[in-house]
Amino acid sequence: MAAIAVLVVRWLLSTEPLQHFLSTYPGESDLPEGAPVGLPAWLSWQHFFNAFFIVLIIRSGLQVRSQQKPPAVWSPRWNRSRKISLTLWFHQSLDILWLVNGIVFVTLLFATGQWLRIVPTSWEIFPNALSAILQYISLDWPTENGWVNYNSIQVLAYFTTVFVAAPLAVVTGVRMSGIWPKRAVTLSRLYPVEWARKIHFPIMLYFVAFIAIHVFLVFATGALRNLNHMYASQGSHDPNAYADNWAGFWLFVASLIVIAAACVAARPIVLAPIARLFGSVGAR
């Protein structure tokens, strides 16, 4: 079926109407005048922290979902009667750090004008996105240079992730957490916890799918160049520039080592002393 789809789309793109469509909508929209070019160093750091937190959040969230007997429980100092599993405490603590990182990220996006690169500013984004999809399916992929401009599929994906999926993850997570006021009867009736549970898990699946596709395309469309853009803040208007520079690759490898080390270290013997700084930890 995949081979048939490739052949059919390649035939369609060879027809005159589709050729005209591709010439009119090449797959990316022009950025507004004054939009910044390039990826600053702060964005590289934000990208690393976001990846670091989201991997640990997904891992701990799945543990919370499948864990039947927690290894320990945690209670806040101001409410010793409230007890949650140590795994849930770790998950919610990561959520707070991820949220803080996200607030800093969005603030800097709008303060530096970088938001112009990931927020659609023209309706042409949609026909260009369709054009990019057809080009991907045909395996005649569009020339990419994320240092200058993302294609329309990337813009829509980044916009959805930052401004739709992330806020939904936050508002559903808050509803399911102990932060939610228990005495807010009317508010709880308007926003049942069952709704939050039904949305929260699919949002996690969206993040997993986004990460998998994102990483695949980073490596499939010019790994060294793309990694230099995001991890080493190196790039130019020339899409072939930095194609043989390994700086971004080794920074990427270092970031994976840090994330992997954090996943290995995220055990009760390590988490318990940290959790005691903010409350009490004991047996179930």
Side-chain angles (χ1 to χ4, degrees), residues 2 11 18 30 39 41 49 75 78 85 87 94 114 124 126 138-139 154 184 195 197 201 204 208 224 229 233:
W11 172 77
L18 268 296
D30 292 333
L39 304 175
F49 284 125
S75 300
W78 59 87
S85 71
T87 309
L94 290 167
Q114 286 287 333
E124 290 186 355
F126 296 107
S138 72
L139 300 184
Q154 289 175 295
W195 290 8
R197 291 196 182 102
F201 185 70
M204 185 275 291
V208 172
L224 294 183
H229 290 172
S233 298

Side-chain angles (χ1 to χ4, degrees), residues 212-278:
I213 296 171
H214 178 63
V215 173
F216 169 75
L217 288 176
V218 164
F219 279 88
T221 59
L224 294 183
R225 181 193 62 211
N226 291 331
L227 292 174
N228 274 315
H229 290 172
M230 182 49 70
Y231 283 88
S233 298
Q234 297 177 355
S236 73
H237 284 81
D238 180 5
N240 296 317
Y242 297 97
D244 57 352
N245 187 331
W246 290 79
F249 172 81
W250 291 116
L251 288 172
F252 169 70
V253 170
S255 74
L256 291 184
I257 293 173
V258 172
I259 293 172
C263 288
V264 173
R267 301 171 181 269
I269 193 172
V270 176
L271 296 179
I274 301 174
R276 287 193 185 97
L277 299 176
F278 306 94

